[in-house]
């Protein structure tokens, strides 16, 4: 009962909360279908119960929030239904249509007790988000921007956005690193969350980091394992799809599913159903380069062999011609040398003969000029004072003259000197 003090009625907190509890119980007696976003699931494995945090957002801001209860039995039933219809378990970050009762507890406050969730509504919301993202990207004229980028002939440097423990990434690595042709692709991993609400900012953040280092890579690959439509909802997000569409390098996706394409896959340069198929795509790029190169190498080798063979034949023919020409030249040189030898012998004989005749004549001239021979013919040689007398001007009276004749010398004294003409 309320307490009256100084004309004031005072209620205890319990009385107030019980009054609220009674009022809400009398006002909200039915089950209600409610649309909200599940911000957190808060599943406790030891009890099996969930305490989801439900929110409503307007332009990205939370405008309403309430806690809820999902008992173990209801959670298991709903989760199995999601696995069957959406091919994904019940998880955080989805917009859902759920049936719940409204209750108030003096200890725990206002809450919604969830008894059912419609998975088809969640899929419909995902499809609506997908269409909105597609329309916005097309209106901005960037839907095909990444597809129109030039792709490198050999994508040798690859930036990968994935989770290190992803099976899809492991399959991708196995095909790339163990290819039997020895093709080498440099891979750099940029770890990111790949599903749930946090996946969008996580992937965008890694794309921003890679964009700052774009000169170091030829392409970017987003690799993820398999999953259903709900698990792929983040890839329909407008902000993520836009980041991929306007990225400066070709973006390749291998996010592991075979159902309808997500918007991120639509705007990417290349979409592969699985990481393994994406690895095959890259290997094929190397094949497209290597096979024609091998064929060209074979043609070059074949043509080079033919050229060498032809030139070898020409060389043999040229060598044979040179050999014949040299032999002819040697033969002719021998003939010329023999003739030259004969000419030399003839000329030398003539020269020797001519020189002998000249020497013979010279000898005779020398013999004729010999003073002894002249003396024998009656000539004499007179000297005065030891000098040969050639002029009367050399002597005076009483000079002693020495006259040489054939068989001796005669000395005389000058008594008279007569000059010609006097």
């Amino acid at each position: 009962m309320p307490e009256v003090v100084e004309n004031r009625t005072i209620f205890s907190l319990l009385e107030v909360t019980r009054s609220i509890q009674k009022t809400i119980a009398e006002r909200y007696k039915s089950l209600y279908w409610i649309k909200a976003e599940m911000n957190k699931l808060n599943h406790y494995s030891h009890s099996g119960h969930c305490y989801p945090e439900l929110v409503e957002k307007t332009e990205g801001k939370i405008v309403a929030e309430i806690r809820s209860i999902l008992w173990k039995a209801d959670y298991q039933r709903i989760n199995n239904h999601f696995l069957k219809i959406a091919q994904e378990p019940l998880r955080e970050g989805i917009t859902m249509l759920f049936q719940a009762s409204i209750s108030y507890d003096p200890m725990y406050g206002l809450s919604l007790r969830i008894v059912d969730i419609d998975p088809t509504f969640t899929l419909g919301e995902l499809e609506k988000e997908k269409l909105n993202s597609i329309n916005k990207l097309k209106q901005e004229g960037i839907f095909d921007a990444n597809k129109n980028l030039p792709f490198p002939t050999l994508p040798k440097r690859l930036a990968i956005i994935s989770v290190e423990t992803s099976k899809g990434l492991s399959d991708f690595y196995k095909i790339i690193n163990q290819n039997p042709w020895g093709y080498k692709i440099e891979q750099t991993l940029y770890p990111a969350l790949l599903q749930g609400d946090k996946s969008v900012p996580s992937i965008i953040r890694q794309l921003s980091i890679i964009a700052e280092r774009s000169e170091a890579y030829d392409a970017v690959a987003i690799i993820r394992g398999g999953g259903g439509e709900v698990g792929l909802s983040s890839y329909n997000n407008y902000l993520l799809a836009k980041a991929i569409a306007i990225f400066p390098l070709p973006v390749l996706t291998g996010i592991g599913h075979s159902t309808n394409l997500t918007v991120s896959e639509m705007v990417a340069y290349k979409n592969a159903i699985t990481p393994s198929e994406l690895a095959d795509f890259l290997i094929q790029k190397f094949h497209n380069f290597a096979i024609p190169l091998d064929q060209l190498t074979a043609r070059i080798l074949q043509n080079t062999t033919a050229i060498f063979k032809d030139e070898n034949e020409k060389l043999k023919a040229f060598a044979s011609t040179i050999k014949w020409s040299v032999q002819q030249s040697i033969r002719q040189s021998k003939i010329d040398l023999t003739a030259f030898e004969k000419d030399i012998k003839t000329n030398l004989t003539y020269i020797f003969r001519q020189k002998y005749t000249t020497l013979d004549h010279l000898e005779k001239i020398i013999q004729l000029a010999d003073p002894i021979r002249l003396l024998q013919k009656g000539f004499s040689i007179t000297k005065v004072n030891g000098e040969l007398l050639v002029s009367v001007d050399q002597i005076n009276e009483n000079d002693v003259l020495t006259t040489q004749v054939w068989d001796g010398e005669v000395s005389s004294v000058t008594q008279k000197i007569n000059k010609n003409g006097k």
Side-chain angles (χ1 to χ4, degrees), residues 8 22 58 67 83 95 180 196 214 219 227 264 295 339 343 373 385:
R8 289 184 294 183
K22 182 180 178 183
T58 299
R67 62 186 297 274
L83 287 170
T95 300
S214 59
S264 293
Q295 293 173 345
D343 289 342
R373 295 177 68 91
N385 298 323

Side-chain angles (χ1 to χ4, degrees), residues 24 39 62 80 98 101 120 122 140 227 247 261 320 342:
I24 290 177
N39 192 40
I62 296 176
N80 289 334
F98 61 94
S101 62
T120 59
T122 300
E140 294 174 14
F247 200 74
L261 292 179
S320 178
K342 289 180 179 179

Side-chain angles (χ1 to χ4, degrees), residues 305-325:
T305 302
I307 291 171
F308 270 104
K309 184 178 179 181
D310 183 57
E311 292 300 321
N312 189 47
E313 294 298 325
K314 290 180 179 179
L315 188 60
K316 286 181 179 179
F318 184 63
S320 178
T321 301
I322 290 177
K323 183 178 180 181
W324 180 86
S325 177

